Amino acid sequence: MSNLFAKFFTLKGRLDRYRYVKYSIISLLLFAPIIGGAYYAAVNNMAPNMPIALATLILLAVLVFIWINISLQVRRFHDLEKSGWWIMLNFLIMPDGGLLANIASWGITIWLIIFKGTEGPNKYGEDPLRKKVEPAE
């Protein structure tokens, strides 16, 4: 369980590009049916007839999905030797109300995927690509 926590929920440490994409795809595949079902229910005006327990579970799933993606982005920023607060670029309020915000968010995601992290240790932790070598006794 602690390994799962380290992969998806922590804000500490660094995350290389490969694992960022891998864990993002895993979280999307796990949560897409839930989020898609909630969207379908909202669009088709089924939400008022939804049992409160089901609505609560959907809300919890959406919140977990959001937290996982915040965690992944923060650790990816750490690998680029940037503060996790850079994630706030995703939440900039754009004057057009949507198009520019979406373009900015996609731009940030592409940036996180394309640029290689800092080689060697940085102030956020060890290089995730460097293999840990156990000292010989």
Side-chain angles (χ1 to χ4, degrees):
M1 185 67 172
S2 66
N3 195 19
L4 177 71
F5 181 82
K7 287 180 181 176
F8 291 105
F9 295 99
T10 186
L11 296 176
K12 294 180 180 181
R14 296 168 58 181
L15 190 65
D16 62 82
R17 294 177 291 182
Y18 171 76
R19 285 182 184 86
Y20 172 71
V21 171
K22 177 181 159 184
Y23 297 155
S24 294
I25 290 171
I26 289 170
S27 74
L28 184 63
L29 291 175
L30 288 174
F31 288 98
I34 298 167
I35 294 170
Y39 178 76
Y40 178 82
V43 167
N44 292 306
N45 204 20
M46 297 165 62
N49 300 324
M50 189 180 297
I52 194 77
L54 181 59
T56 304
L57 285 174
I58 290 171
L59 176 64
L60 272 165
V62 169
L63 292 174
V64 168
F65 177 75
I66 290 169
W67 179 259
I68 286 172
N69 285 285
I70 287 172
S71 165
L72 295 175
Q73 279 198 1
V74 164
R75 290 184 291 138
R76 187 68 194 110
F77 277 119
H78 287 173
D79 194 40
L80 295 166
E81 205 158 8
K82 305 278 185 225
S83 167
W85 287 104
W86 277 68
I87 196 173
M88 297 307 288
L89 291 173
N90 287 311
F91 304 106
L92 288 178
I93 298 172
M94 300 291 183
D96 73 333
L99 180 62
L100 288 176
N102 283 329
I103 292 170
S105 183
W106 276 104
I108 292 164
T109 301
I110 291 168
W111 177 40
L112 292 173
I113 293 170
I114 290 177
F115 288 99
K116 188 176 183 204
T118 308
E119 287 190 32
N122 69 18
K123 65 182 178 181
Y124 298 103
E126 293 295 320
D127 188 340
L129 296 177
R130 208 167 265 186
K131 300 278 186 209
K132 292 184 180 175
V133 179
E134 296 293 324
E137 292 183 21

